[in-house]
Amino acid sequence: MSDTGGFTQLRDAIEQRTAVVGVIGLGYVGLPLAAAAARAGFPVVGFDTDPAKPAQINAGRSYIDAVDGRVLADLVARGRISATDDLSGLAGCDVVVICVPTPLTRHRDPDLSYVEATTRAIAQHLRAPQLVVLESTTYPGTTREVLKPILEAAGHVSGRDAFLAFSPEREDPGNAAFSTVTIPKVVAGDGPEAQALVVALYGAIVDKVVPVSSLDVAEAVKITENIFRAVNIALVNELKVIFSAMDIDVWEVIEAAKTKPFGYMPFYPGPGLGGHCIPIDPFYLTWKSREFELPTRFIELAGEVNLSMPRYVVDKLAEALDRRLRLALSASRVLVLGLAYKKNVSDLRESPSLKLIELLEARGGEVSFHDPHIAEIPPTREWGHLAGRKSVALDAGALAGFDAVLIATDHDMVDYALVVRHAKLVVDTRNVVARLGLDPERVVKA
């Protein structure tokens, strides 16, 4: 390892926790990381192009469930963390961590526009030496092939001015057992000096750091984790359809199978996939594999199965309305229960509930929703036409006014006994009614 002056200066600042850490993108990944770095003793500046987010942070208000508002308010009051929408402040940072979205295009190709724009902003304001870390999930090769050329085209040499690294985010919204600090952090740097710096940075913030040999390996780790989940969820979703035709309860099968103490891991079916990771990230590898003329049949098949689940659920609902109530879906009022993509969070990213609403309305149904964590649907890029709709009350009178209740997300705060008692028909995609031992008479699993 060559001991350049810039490397030594930056390493000492990180080890002494005087390095200013800038976090770009203050969403479900960036804000928890910024708070964790501030709690570890680093001065932290958060950056987001949406001015509402820095305003809330500077007022000591958290809008992410994983960050306790009281903790954030204390960090702000003590001057440990601040936020801005002015990216020129990057010039004052020693470390810059990129936590921006990596969505798909309409053709399901990677959309790296946020990463590219952010890297150009860093290049414009970079003050050597800086450690630049990408956390956004992407395909293997992104840090080398996208970030590095942008920075070096602006005259910032990797390993001298900018020390490049990749560390995949592993946030799991709503998971009370693990947090940013307790989840092991995979890291890799562009060269030994960048590796040493990124290990030192995250070693000061999280409990365990897992160094790997290259940027590409670190990028592949995150893709592998998400493909593993996507393929296994697709498998149980497909089994759900097959077993339903055989009049076999897939949930009972899974509960019995998971009693085997080896060779089996339970995954659960649902109405579709949500969140940023599983519905999107596998397609990044599918796209990259085309460069090597290699097929990704398992990944693409899993995507097809999971993407088909909302339509399967709507078909089951339509069938249940017809058989049990002699009603057409086009003449029915449906309550979608749970809008978030997973239980006990307010995260709407890629939520199948939004697709369910669209499909139900396309078939003529009148649709409302209830979610104890989401009072109103916010504007989103793909679902802007649903923005502004408000969660309806969940009481006996309201339930009686719907022809069917579709349980799409099994939030713990919902009174399912009330739902089962007063709904004419319940279509349960999460097995929550059976799990709670409630009366299954008016319940159809989907």
Side-chain angles (χ1 to χ4, degrees), residues 64 69 104 162 251 371 388:
I64 300 293
L104 295 171
W251 298 92
D371 192 304

Side-chain angles (χ1 to χ4, degrees), residues 228-244:
F228 174 79
R229 293 167 67 196
V231 169
N232 280 280
I233 292 171
L235 174 62
V236 293
N237 274 329
E238 188 166 71
L239 290 174
K240 172 179 73 174
V241 176
I242 296 168
F243 288 158
S244 177

